[in-house]
Amino acid sequence: MSREESAAQERLREAAAARIRAARPELADAHDLTSAEGLIAVRARIAEEAAAPEHLAAVVVGRFDLASWARATCEFALGLGPEQAAAWRRSFTRTVFLAGNPDNLRERFSFAHFADDGSAAWTGPGPAADSAGLRRLLKLFDGPRPLPVRADTVVEVPPRAGRRPDRPPVHRELHIAASGCRVSDALVHLNHLLAEAVLDGLIRPGDTLTIRHVPRLTGLTDHFAALRVDTDPTLPGRLRAAAGLTEEALLVPHHRP
Amino acid sequence: MTTLPLERPRARARAERRERVLLAPITVTPSKPLTPSHLKGLLWTDVMYRATRELADVTFRSSQTTYHPTEQTLGFWEFLDRTHGDREYAECSEEEIGELYVAFRAEGTRAPAEALRPYADAVEHGWVHPASRRVLGLWSGHYAGLGLHDPGLLAHQPPGLGLDETIAWLSALGLCVDLREVGGPVHLDTTRFGLPLRQIVTADGRPNYLACALRELMPLTADFDEVVLLYDRELGPDHQQLAHVLALLGPRVRRVPIGRVPIDGRVRSARHGGWQDNHAGALLASARAGYAEPVVRLGMRLYFIATLGPGQAQSFDPALVRQCLKRAERLLAAAADTDPSDDLAERLARHRKDHVYVDPYRLTSSLLGRRGPVPGHDLLSAVFL
């Protein structure tokens, strides 16, 4: 491994460790998160817990529209109360993606949020039993096709009506590594990245995100405020960035007055 | 002074405005002999068709073409060509082809979608594999022997909608989750009625029989006042969904589940075989050895409809079939010439509830009543012979 590669791996390990520390400080204390082995041990612990998840959100997806879904994901996370957000964070913002038409479910289930175009709906994070009925009725969202690489798309997180923003809106880029990434994987990666960025205050109402599809986030990891870290599918024992949210972009293309 | 004829308000009201009824029974895959369960469904539907025809404009839609694109049929054809090559089927018996079907199901492997595609495409252009063509030809003979209306076993009767069009119709009605764009499956979505999502097309593009039924029935139903779905009891959940979809297009939809016929206490799928001696050909041959054709036709209806009933509690019993044949012989011998003023439509109309179709079980059972008038020749020949 070259010096640059080692530095990038180090940066990815730090990002992975920071995520664990934010969600479960006690797990972070019990393991050495500076080593790949420590991270793997924590992942195994978390995987064991996944069999009996504490808090999860369910997202019903009727039609896949990345921009609409990403905006709505931010809105959903921004709408969570502090206790709900904390409980969800402790479960690593666990989320189940279900195939379904939100419109057909409005009367039978209560949703915390709907995408503007009706393409997706979110249940508030809660114990798995809360969404058991919905999960029984629907099927897991199955999107095995590779994520299509599209031109950059600008997404605005709607400002909160009647409330002064607590900081000026910012513009960030949301990078997703499309190589080897199925649509289903992209949903998982971006969901964690966006939800946790909202809970960390990196994304606020009124902010702008430019979604950029790139084959791989090579050499860019320095400029990111948040990273979604995954194991590298082709290089055993290494990590890679599946998605990332940049530091504030210098140029804000359309600044909201 | 003129005498007014006796009032028959009910029959007349019906006669003035004949309702349009669509009978849509599930079809049998042409890959094996007709088992007692299949016979029961066929006879049940036939009596319903012929009786209801006296009261309403009835369309009997049962297209083999529609259901050929299902995996069990295409997979069987692909299996035959892959494992038996240029075998000649024109002289094969149903049992021989059925044995090949059992071997296909036992193979247990699923041919890749690409291997089935030429077969699926050929079906759309009217092609039928020679093995299934042979089976359908033999079935036509059984239909004729049993006096069953042939809804076009050997005809090319493509459904009114293509698969893509069907999905577009469903999407427009908010009744489907179409994940093809992301490489996923298509689900029928009747969750608004509290029913679970049901996959109708796999991620690699294979439609199931429910998708085929929708292709056929969605474009047809708007022309009818009542649509009657007849199906095996275990397919109830799918038909509940189908009924909801069709009802949204206008007609009243009636579901008529028909219980299967257990053999020695067990309801077995035809994929395992086990039809020796009790498939349609064998049953017909043994009945014809002792009885005239009208007796065989009526006797089979008495057994498979009135005796077995809508449920599936009784196992197939050849002794009871023989009893029914004897009973049929006596009924035919005693049948009365009916007074022309005793309207057949009115007599048939008694065997229904709030639906237009005539209930085959109630009607056929009425022949066995110890009290009441002897059945007339007109009823027997219109419906049972």
Side-chain angles (χ1 to χ4, degrees):
Chain A
M1 225 186 292
S2 70
R3 205 155 53 96
E4 292 80 8
E5 282 176 292
S6 305
Q9 286 294 308
E10 180 61 34
R11 172 82 181 81
L12 291 167
R13 269 200 300 277
E14 278 168 18
R19 178 171 189 246
I20 294 162
R21 211 170 292 121
R24 303 285 296 275
E26 79 285 5
L27 281 183
D29 291 345
H31 295 84
D32 170 18
L33 299 183
T34 60
S35 71
E37 295 74 24
L39 282 173
I40 289 164
V42 176
R43 282 179 87 102
R45 269 286 294 278
I46 297 165
E48 278 171 30
E49 292 176 5
E54 293 171 287
H55 266 63
L56 60 84
V59 188
V60 177
V61 183
R63 197 160 30 78
F64 175 67
D65 178 334
L66 185 57
S68 155
W69 172 83
R71 178 173 49 242
T73 298
C74 296
E75 285 184 281
F76 163 70
L78 285 165
L80 296 177
E83 281 178 20
Q84 224 178 359
W88 194 33
R89 191 68 186 265
R90 275 192 65 75
S91 299
F92 293 93
T93 57
R94 205 182 307 286
T95 305
V96 179
F97 293 93
L98 302 168
N101 278 316
D103 266 353
N104 289 344
L105 302 159
R106 278 174 195 269
E107 286 186 12
R108 289 173 188 272
F109 297 94
S110 67
F111 289 99
H113 187 71
F114 286 90
D116 290 344
D117 59 0
S119 62
W122 281 252
T123 68
D130 290 359
S131 57
L134 185 67
R135 286 182 286 125
R136 259 199 304 277
L137 206 61
L138 302 179
K139 294 208 161 20
L140 289 177
F141 178 88
D142 183 12
R145 191 159 288 173
L147 180 70
V149 173
R150 299 251 155 86
D152 292 358
T153 318
V154 177
V155 170
E156 281 184 48
V157 182
R160 207 160 267 170
R163 225 194 288 175
R164 272 244 305 263
D166 43 17
R167 62 153 169 71
V170 299
H171 179 211
R172 298 178 193 275
E173 288 180 2
L174 177 64
H175 292 225
I176 171 83
S179 174
C181 179
R182 299 169 306 168
V183 170
S184 304
D185 303 327
L187 284 180
V188 171
H189 293 317
L190 293 177
N191 176 63
H192 288 303
L193 184 67
L194 289 172
E196 290 165 23
V198 166
L199 302 184
D200 289 338
L202 292 173
I203 298 173
R204 305 290 307 150
D207 287 354
T208 303
L209 303 173
T210 297
I211 302 177
R212 302 194 67 181
H213 295 75
V214 293
R216 190 184 165 99
L217 273 66
T218 312
L220 294 169
T221 39
D222 277 350
H223 315 293
F224 287 93
L227 285 169
R228 166 72 185 169
V229 180
D230 196 12
T231 49
D232 194 310
T234 52
L235 299 169
R238 292 214 210 170
L239 301 174
R240 59 148 202 164
L245 189 68
T246 62
E247 301 286 359
E248 280 181 54
L250 290 174
L251 291 171
V252 178
H254 14 254
H255 194 77
R256 196 171 286 278
Chain B
M1 191 178 149
T2 54
T3 30
L4 287 167
L6 277 173
E7 271 296 312
R8 293 183 192 280
R10 222 176 132 198
R12 178 154 309 162
R14 299 269 176 209
E16 280 162 9
R17 194 183 146 276
R18 278 169 79 88
E19 296 206 75
R20 295 158 304 169
V21 179
L22 173 67
L23 297 193
I26 190 146
T27 60
V28 186
T29 313
S31 54
K32 64 229 165 189
L34 292 169
T35 64
S37 291
H38 299 140
L39 270 181
K40 181 178 172 185
L42 297 177
L43 291 163
W44 202 278
T45 310
D46 189 69
V47 166
M48 184 186 282
Y49 171 61
R50 289 165 66 190
T52 308
R53 206 167 49 167
E54 300 293 323
L55 303 161
D57 290 335
V58 188
T59 299
F60 184 146
R61 177 74 179 182
S62 176
S63 158
Q64 288 288 334
T65 314
T66 296
Y67 296 94
H68 287 328
T70 54
E71 178 141 15
Q72 55 173 334
T73 300
L74 299 184
F76 177 49
W77 293 351
E78 188 276 339
F79 166 84
L80 289 177
D81 290 353
R82 174 163 48 83
T83 58
H84 289 77
D86 298 322
R87 180 167 175 162
E88 182 61 57
Y89 297 97
E91 302 299 318
C92 278
S93 68
E94 292 159 273
E95 294 98 307
E96 284 166 330
I97 294 171
E99 293 306 329
L100 295 170
Y101 183 68
V102 172
F104 157 64
R105 299 307 298 237
E107 189 190 48
T109 50
R110 237 167 137 238
E114 313 84 75
L116 299 188
R117 196 151 298 132
Y119 293 89
D121 291 344
V123 163
E124 300 293 334
H125 296 103
W127 183 82
V128 178
H129 191 279
S132 287
R133 222 167 40 225
R134 169 66 177 157
V135 169
L136 290 168
L138 292 165
W139 286 1
S140 297
H142 304 326
Y143 272 53
L146 284 163
L148 292 169
H149 167 76
D150 180 352
L153 286 174
L154 293 161
H156 178 53
Q157 303 185 83
L161 291 179
L163 185 59
D164 290 348
E165 292 170 298
T166 304
I167 294 167
W169 277 41
L170 290 170
S171 296
L173 292 163
L175 287 170
C176 104
V177 180
D178 177 7
L179 300 177
R180 289 177 300 171
E181 210 188 354
V182 295
V186 182
H187 302 286
L188 179 64
D189 179 4
T190 53
T191 53
R192 74 179 80 159
F193 305 108
L195 301 173
L197 221 54
R198 169 78 162 99
Q199 183 177 296
I200 55 171
V201 183
T202 59
D204 57 7
R206 303 162 202 233
N208 65 8
Y209 85 95
L210 195 50
C212 295
L214 290 163
R215 280 184 64 181
E216 166 150 284
L217 297 176
M218 284 180 71
L220 275 181
T221 43
D223 296 333
F224 294 91
D225 301 303
E226 180 167 293
V227 172
V228 188
L229 304 173
L230 299 108
Y231 53 90
D232 296 342
R233 201 166 279 275
E234 61 264 40
L235 300 176
D238 282 347
H239 282 77
Q240 202 182 349
Q241 303 213 0
L242 183 58
H244 276 299
V245 174
L246 300 181
L248 285 176
L249 297 168
R252 296 180 301 271
V253 182
R254 309 293 185 179
R255 292 187 289 125
V256 180
I258 302 171
R260 305 230 275 183
V261 185
I263 307 291
D264 300 326
R266 286 177 62 201
V267 172
R268 282 167 63 105
S269 163
R271 74 181 61 167
H272 304 300
W275 44 65
Q276 291 74 17
D277 305 330
N278 53 34
H279 65 86
L283 274 178
L284 259 175
S286 89
R288 277 164 158 174
Y291 296 92
E293 190 159 76
V295 176
V296 174
R297 291 178 176 183
L298 178 58
M300 290 297 174
R301 285 164 175 79
L302 292 178
Y303 177 68
F304 281 101
I305 302 172
T307 307
L308 288 177
Q312 54 184 41
Q314 287 184 56
S315 279
F316 180 72
D317 183 351
L320 280 177
V321 177
R322 285 193 294 276
Q323 270 187 35
C324 285
L325 289 166
K326 283 187 192 131
R327 190 72 192 269
E329 198 169 41
R330 290 201 300 274
L331 273 170
L332 282 166
D337 288 326
T338 28
D339 173 359
S341 70
D342 187 8
D343 191 54
L344 174 61
E346 189 163 294
R347 272 176 283 147
L348 289 168
R350 286 178 208 134
H351 302 288
R352 34 187 212 178
K353 293 177 195 160
D354 58 342
H355 41 74
V356 180
Y357 73 82
V358 175
D359 181 335
Y361 177 62
R362 291 171 53 152
L363 173 63
T364 313
S365 305
S366 75
L367 302 183
L368 299 177
R370 304 247 170 225
R371 285 180 222 151
V374 244
H377 280 302
D378 60 346
L379 169 66
L380 293 177
S381 63
V383 180
F384 293 98
L385 301 182

